[in-house]
Amino acid sequence: MAQEKITLEELVELISTSAGVRTDTETAAARTFEDLGVDSLGVLGIVAEIERRVGRKLGSEAELSPSPTALIAFVNDDSPALVEGV
């Protein structure tokens, strides 16, 4: 069963496993992906894994999130526009 939300701790884990960049929650919460050294391909990999976990397509807006906190806010938004097929 897919989870509905993602936490900052989970995202930090994904930044490490999907983009190969080590960070902690405090640093990730205060920086952009660029500041952390995560390139666009790294963000794509992170978004793809989040899509798998939450069970819905997030689209290109998620891929353009400038920071971990912006991505979490986007993923955890309960807007129907984020639901696949809507």
Side-chain angles (χ1 to χ4, degrees), residues 23-44:
T23 189
D24 57 48
T25 56
E26 185 177 321
T27 303
R31 303 257 165 71
T32 66
F33 282 118
E34 184 177 352
D35 292 341
L36 294 171
V38 179
D39 63 14
S40 59
L41 288 177
V43 174
L44 288 174

Side-chain angles (χ1 to χ4, degrees), residues 43-71:
V43 174
L44 288 174
I46 293 165
V47 169
E49 180 58 24
I50 292 171
E51 288 176 336
R52 189 187 69 72
R53 290 184 184 198
V54 299
R56 68 179 188 262
K57 186 82 172 142
L58 299 173
S60 61
E61 287 182 59
E63 297 164 0
L64 297 175
S65 295
S67 67
T69 54
L71 181 56

